[in-house]
Amino acid sequence: MRRLFVAGNWKMNLDGCRSHDLAEGLKKQLADVQDVRVAVFPPYVYLNCVANVLNKTPIEVGAQNMYPEPEGAYTGEVSGAMLTDVGCRCVILGHSERRHVIGETDEFINRKVHKALECGLEPVLCLGETLEQRRAGQMEKVVSGQLRAGLDGVSAGQMEKITVAYEPVWAIGTGETATPEQADQAHACLRNVLGEVYDEEVAEATIIQYGGSVKPDNAADLLSMPNVDGALVGGASLSVESFVPIVQAALN
Ligand code: PGA
């Protein structure tokens, strides 16, 4: 049985005070959460504060990105070691906003995956097709390619540290959600690819989250699908009132 994983990607939202209060609120409401893995991904500058609040709770803290070099002249960038130093356990890599707004390539994301693993961080590797690609019938081709490229050189043994997040670009922040069937179909395709690249054991064990306008009112349906193992939540992760019910939907 795969243990469901619900993650909150705060993106470039909140301020110091609100980040602190949100972490405190989650700490109170989710103090005993065990059967579901929960993590939050605040902006870099609030990681330290949020990690301190959530220290010794079951809620993990992760970063939204990292740079694939250990140190040096990379102005404005943050290394994996810096992230573990401030209490991060995981890191989101290849989020669609980084692929499409910042221009990150599969190769660059793959370098980050390797560096994150080297630093002891657990990557959440994001991928997903655009609306044009879906309309052109290319969903499976696009997400399979992103998965293979993102995991290039990653061993079967390292796969237990990797979470995959399927996030169709057309569903992120748009209020439009993939139907549970659409999500399950994409996840099944990704699981097949994992079976081809690795083996059945890895394919069955890998957590594949769905992301894209997950809300309290659609979470239960999405999470009931056999291949949907959790959620990567953006907008609805910014308040206790909307994030906690999504975690509860995963518990049921
Ligand atoms: P959303 O974002 O829930 O606001 O659509 C999801 C994500 O980008 O991870």
Side-chain angles (χ1 to χ4, degrees):
M1 263 307 262
R2 295 184 289 269
R3 181 173 171 236
L4 299 197
F5 182 10
V6 177
N9 173 11
W10 296 359
K11 306 193 180 181
M12 198 173 74
N13 292 299
L14 307 174
D15 56 20
C17 194
R18 289 168 64 208
S19 296
H20 176 272
D21 290 353
L22 177 52
E24 285 285 356
L26 296 175
K27 178 179 168 174
K28 280 199 193 82
Q29 302 260 339
L30 299 173
D32 310 318
V33 73
Q34 262 171 12
D35 296 343
V36 172
R37 182 177 177 190
V38 180
V40 293
F41 295 81
Y44 283 141
V45 289
Y46 305 132
L47 281 171
N48 215 339
C49 163
V50 170
N52 282 335
V53 172
L54 297 177
N55 188 23
K56 299 200 170 71
T57 76
I59 308 169
E60 297 170 23
V61 177
Q64 299 171 20
N65 182 36
M66 61 169 268
Y67 196 73
E69 290 293 337
E71 61 185 3
Y74 303 102
T75 302
E77 296 294 339
V78 169
S79 73
M82 291 171 182
L83 297 180
T84 55
D85 194 29
V86 295
C88 288
R89 169 152 169 202
C90 30
V91 60
I92 294 174
L93 299 175
H95 189 277
S96 98
E97 285 141 21
R98 297 212 60 89
R99 290 177 188 265
H100 297 285
V101 182
I102 317 279
E104 291 190 3
T105 62
D106 281 325
E107 291 68 31
F108 190 50
I109 294 161
N110 177 249
R111 276 177 58 201
K112 295 188 190 200
V113 169
H114 285 285
K115 188 53 79 178
L117 289 168
E118 216 176 279
C119 294
L121 288 161
E122 301 185 17
V124 176
L125 173 63
C126 301
L127 40 84
E129 82 288 1
T130 63
L131 189 56
E132 295 68 44
Q133 290 165 333
R134 173 163 282 265
R135 286 197 175 134
Q138 293 173 345
M139 181 277 282
E140 299 206 348
K141 180 166 164 259
V142 171
V143 299
S144 304
Q146 289 172 330
L147 185 64
R148 286 177 191 274
L151 295 177
D152 190 32
V154 173
S155 70
Q158 288 174 313
M159 280 305 291
E160 66 182 32
K161 301 284 181 216
I162 304 251
T163 297
V164 176
Y166 169 64
E167 298 203 301
V169 180
W170 48 273
I172 297 178
T174 57
E176 193 169 332
T177 319
T179 63
E181 291 73 24
Q182 284 173 324
D184 199 63
Q185 188 195 356
H187 288 217
C189 159
L190 292 168
R191 219 176 283 291
N192 270 336
V193 174
L194 292 172
E196 281 166 28
V197 175
Y198 300 100
D199 53 34
E200 267 317 291
E201 206 181 312
V202 169
E204 280 307 309
T206 303
I207 299 297
I208 307 180
Q209 297 174 319
Y210 168 78
S213 300
V214 177
K215 303 275 182 284
D217 61 1
N218 60 25
D221 284 346
L222 286 158
L223 293 169
S224 71
M225 301 309 283
N227 285 297
V228 177
D229 310 320
L232 181 52
V233 186
S237 71
L238 296 175
S239 78
V240 174
E241 293 69 31
S242 48
F243 189 61
V244 170
I246 296 173
V247 175
Q248 277 158 351
L251 281 165
N252 290 330

